[in-house]
Amino acid sequence: MSATSTSESVTGADARLRIGPRSALVLVLVSVVGLMMLGWPLLLEVEGGTRVDPPFLFIALMPLLLVMVLAEMTEGGMDARMLAILGLLSAINGVLRGLGAGVAGIELIFFLMVLAGRVFGPAFGFVLGCTSLFVSALFTAGVGPWLPFQMLVAGWVGMGAGLLPRRPRGRREIAMLVVYGMVAAYAYGALMNLWGWPLALGIEVPGREATELSYVAGAPLAENLRRFVVYTLVTSTGGWDTGRAVTNGLAIAVVGPAVLSTLRRAARRATVVRVPAPTP
C-alpha cells in the first residue's frame, strides 16, 4: 500500500515551533561540538611552551553543522507566515545591530531574540538567533571566522528564552525576562571571549601584566581558567558585557509588554504545520 500523510495545523497560543526527537538530537550534538570548539584551550593537554593553534578544520566545519541544524529544525515545522515572521524579525535585528554596533556594548538585537523565543518557542528562538547574527554580519561587514560561533551562542540565547517557565504572566513575566536577558548578555560575552582569548596572546591592559591574562599552553586547567576569568573581567565584563546587559534589561522592561503583545497577536494568526510520520 502507498504511504499517505496528513497535516495538523495549530494556531493561537500553541503556535510554537516544536523540536522533534531527531532535531533535538542534532541540536545537542552540534551544541556539544560548539562548546568543545569554544573551550578547546581548556581541554587540550600539551607540554609547556608548545605552540598551539586553533582547530581551524573544526572551525571550517562549524557553518555546515549550523546549516544542518537549521534544516532539521525548520523542516515541516513552518508555514509561509511563520517564515515571513522569521524573515521580518531577522531583518529588523540586522538593522538594529547596525544602529548600536561599536558603541559601548549597546546591542539592540538580543532583547528581540528573547521576546520572540518566549512567544514562538525554543526552536524558533534558536533559528532566529542564528539568522539574526548572520544578517547583521552582512549589514555591518562583520563576516569572519567568529561568525559561526556568534550565530551558535545567539541561538542558545533565543532557545533559552523559549525554555523558560510558561506560567508567569504580566509583571512577573517581564521581570523574569529582564533577569534572563541580563544573564544571557554576560554569558554571551564570556563564551565569545573564550573564542578570542587564545588568539590574544601578549595582550596589554593598563595595570595588568600580559602573563596574567594570556592563555598558556600546557598549564593546569585551574590556572588557565583563572587567567580566562581575569581576562574576561578586565577586558569586557565592566564594559561591553555590562552595556549589553543594561540594554537588554531596559529594552525588555520598557518595550517588552508591547512587543510581547504584538508577537502573540502574530502567533494567533500564524500556523505551525506538523506532518506526522507516513503510515503504511
Side-chain angles (χ1 to χ4, degrees), residues 180-257:
Y180 173 79
M182 298 183 71
V183 171
Y186 284 108
Y188 177 88
L191 288 173
M192 291 311 303
N193 281 343
L194 192 56
W195 143 256
W197 170 54
L199 307 180
L201 298 179
I203 184 172
E204 294 183 3
V205 176
R208 295 280 181 175
E209 296 180 5
T211 55
E212 293 184 56
L213 302 171
S214 302
Y215 163 68
V216 178
L221 172 62
E223 174 63 18
N224 267 329
L225 188 59
R226 182 191 67 81
R227 291 172 179 270
F228 170 69
V229 171
V230 174
Y231 169 80
T232 299
L233 291 174
V234 171
T235 60
S236 70
T237 300
W240 289 95
D241 297 344
T242 297
R244 186 183 300 113
V246 171
T247 302
N248 266 357
L250 287 177
I252 294 173
V254 174
V255 303

Side-chain angles (χ1 to χ4, degrees), residues 19-178:
I19 302 179
R22 188 176 68 177
S23 298
L25 177 61
V26 173
L27 176 59
V28 169
L29 292 177
V30 172
S31 295
V32 170
V33 172
L35 282 174
M36 292 177 64
M37 284 189 281
L38 283 168
W40 64 268
L42 303 177
L43 301 176
L44 290 181
E45 294 185 3
V46 297
E47 296 181 2
T50 303
R51 176 181 173 83
V52 178
D53 294 320
F56 292 109
L57 176 60
F58 291 103
I59 293 174
L61 293 176
M62 192 65 187
L64 298 179
L65 295 176
L66 282 177
V67 169
M68 181 175 65
V69 170
L70 296 179
E72 280 289 337
M73 296 181 71
T74 58
E75 182 179 5
M78 288 188 181
D79 71 341
R81 290 183 180 179
M82 290 288 285
L83 288 173
I85 293 172
L86 175 64
L88 177 61
L89 294 178
S90 300
I92 292 174
N93 275 340
V95 174
L96 289 177
R97 194 181 190 202
L99 296 177
V103 183
I106 296 177
E107 294 279 5
L108 298 173
I109 67 174
F110 288 92
F111 86 93
L112 194 53
M113 293 180 201
V114 171
L115 298 176
R118 173 67 175 170
V119 173
F120 294 105
F124 187 94
F126 181 86
V127 176
L128 178 62
C130 293
T131 56
S132 294
L133 266 292
F134 180 76
V135 172
S136 66
L138 297 180
F139 283 174
T140 61
V143 178
W146 54 84
L147 179 58
F149 297 100
Q150 289 180 330
M151 293 171 59
L152 179 63
V153 179
W156 289 338
V157 171
M159 181 177 67
L163 295 174
L164 293 173
R166 298 181 62 182
R167 178 170 296 181
R169 284 293 188 268
R171 293 182 178 179
R172 292 179 59 190
E173 180 181 34
I174 295 300
M176 178 183 68
L177 293 176
V178 167

Side-chain angles (χ1 to χ4, degrees), residues 258-278:
V259 174
L260 281 175
S261 178
T262 301
L263 292 177
R264 282 174 173 145
R265 282 198 300 269
R268 285 193 291 269
R269 297 181 180 181
T271 303
V272 176
V273 180
R274 299 171 192 156
V275 182

